[in-house]
Amino acid sequence: MAYRYNHILIRYGELSLKGKNRNNFIKALYDNVRKALKAFPTLEFEKQHDRMYIYLHDEDSKQVSDILAKVFGISSFSLAIKVEPDLDQIIDACYESLDLTTPKTFKVAARRSDKLFPYISDDINRRVATKILKNSDWKVDVHNPDVKIVVEVHQDAAYIMTDRIQGAGGYPVGVGGKAMVLLSGGIDSPVACYLMMKRGVHIECIHYASPPYTSQNAQEKVMELARLVSGYQGDVLVHVVPFTDLQLAIYQNADESYAITLMRRMMMRIATGLAKKRHAQAIATGESIGQVASQTLESMLAINDVTNMPIIRPVVCMDKVEIIDLSKKIGTYETSILPYEDCCTIFTPKNPVTKPRVDKCEKYEAKWDFDKMVQDCIDNTEDIWVHPVKVEEDLF
Ligand SMILES: Nc1ncnc2c1ncn2[C@@H]1O[C@H](COP(=O)(O)OP(=O)(O)OP(=O)(O)O)[C@@H](O)[C@H]1O
């Protein structure tokens, strides 16, 4: 009988800490895994209280692994061969799963959860190793092996596994509620998206566009960033807000030095309206302390003043270098540094106020009926779904 890797064994992450919420978390993870892999309709799934299994048929295990590596709530996973809990089958499966043509070092690491299995772990290790040593040029190295063969013997089955593949960690997306993330074309806000999702928060994105001052290219760049981060959630809804009129009104009614602060306050009002409409519990941004004048604590105070929704700033205390490293890791950096203009950068004031005062903001805002313009922005927002696979090859 020929054996091949026909299973993926998934280990849960921080889930195990969650006491009575555990079942909800496992269910959410199970749903997220199935959703992430819906391009592979022939896969079969099974959830247990401490593990999840995927049964492969002819699917490409590398493609499946690449998708799984982005699902939050998974601490690690392994390709596995499932056999009967029978020593001969275990030995044969271990042996046949290896490509023995080039000499390598190896180690067998067996574990029994079924203590009634008639062979102890050491016995299993020795028997498997003996077969490999007798039939190849491979050598044992228990400290630093090229290949680690893991055998797990349960009551109903035994699994032979490759090394662990690191999972994305965190909590399953959705168990932490929903947030609206303000997505610009910069480096930081896609990282903020990733960090929110990693905490189990389902995200929708809001992008403020100011055509004709911002171009179609700029918007496409933001869509591409949303697509890149959507791999961690399955899909993402992007709300594109027509922001031009409101932005021009700010410049007509306020001192230039207050324009950025007022713009942010308007963004927050719109985000609050959209969050309520979409039943989200928070707003998130890519701001971090002191990167630019508008990101001082005083500025955040003035911005927060217009909403009572929590504003979460996941990168608030990170260095720029740390944020860049993370954006490279999640694959958004190269897109973020493309040179298209954002609505914040087209009207950049020469001397933006670094310590804005709320009373001054209110004085400027009292000069025109911004409420109606905010409502117009909310009403005329365009909603666009993005998926991890590009449209032309979209399998969803
Ligand atoms: N046009 C926009 N649409 C949506 N959100 C925006 C927009 N411009 C700014 N923001 C939000 O405000 C935050 C701070 O914006 P700022 O202009 O200071 O930084 P940035 O360089 O544009 O972007 P980033 O912070 O993502 O690198 C962004 O992280 C983002 O959350």
Side-chain angles (χ1 to χ4, degrees), residues 28-81:
L29 180 59
Y30 181 73
D31 291 345
N32 291 351
V33 165
R34 295 192 65 148
K35 184 174 168 192
L37 292 169
K38 68 179 168 187
F40 300 92
T42 47
L43 291 173
E44 290 173 61
F45 302 85
E46 183 192 334
K47 63 174 186 298
Q48 295 184 359
H49 74 285
D50 58 345
R51 297 280 171 83
M52 194 177 295
Y53 296 96
I54 301 177
Y55 303 116
L56 300 164
H57 296 284
D58 291 323
E59 302 83 359
D60 180 338
S61 59
K62 167 83 172 70
Q63 278 180 3
V64 174
S65 299
D66 287 351
I67 294 172
L68 270 187
K70 289 187 170 178
V71 178
F72 290 122
I74 295 178
S75 80
S76 69
F77 58 96
S78 301
L79 286 169
I81 300 171

Side-chain angles (χ1 to χ4, degrees), residues 182-184 187-189 206-208 264 286 295 342-344:
L182 273 50
L183 183 64
S184 68
I187 295 168
D188 304 356
S189 45
I206 301 178
H207 177 66
Y208 303 87
R264 294 262 190 265
Q295 297 187 3
D342 180 51
C343 72
C344 300

Side-chain angles (χ1 to χ4, degrees), residues 342-373:
D342 180 51
C343 72
C344 300
T345 49
I346 48 172
F347 299 111
T348 314
K350 284 185 198 68
N351 294 306
V353 60
T354 53
K355 297 185 178 180
R357 282 175 27 198
V358 171
D359 60 333
K360 272 198 155 187
C361 294
E362 286 170 348
K363 198 185 85 193
Y364 291 127
E365 288 169 353
K367 289 191 181 175
W368 88 104
D369 183 7
F370 67 82
D371 276 336
K372 174 162 183 340
M373 295 184 99

